[in-house]
Amino acid sequence: SFSPKESAILVSFFFANLLLHDLDDLLVEKGLKYYRYMDDIKIYGYEEIDLKRALVEIDMYLKGNGLSI
């Protein structure tokens, strides 16, 4: 049996993976270096312009799916 807090974490983890799996695929396809834990995403790169493009790409994906940053 899980506590309410543990249950909330499991539910959040499940829905983050469900809703962001296609975003993961998109970022991998674009060759971006990133790390995601639940809904926290870190993108790595050397050029600021590349990181800004990645941010725009993520924002467009999320907005297209009724989500936001």
Side-chain angles (χ1 to χ4, degrees), residues 11-56:
V11 169
S12 293
F13 184 74
F14 172 78
F15 280 109
N17 282 328
L18 181 69
L19 295 170
L20 298 176
H21 177 75
D22 289 341
L23 176 62
D24 291 336
D25 289 343
L26 177 68
L27 297 177
V28 168
E29 182 181 300
K30 298 260 180 198
L32 296 169
K33 305 286 188 235
Y34 79 102
Y35 171 82
R36 180 176 67 79
Y37 178 75
M38 291 201 208
D39 62 346
D40 294 327
I41 301 172
K42 293 186 181 213
I43 304 168
Y44 300 92
Y46 294 103
E47 300 294 328
E48 184 176 354
I49 190 71
D50 294 334
L51 296 171
K52 286 182 179 180
R53 284 184 187 135
L55 180 60
V56 168

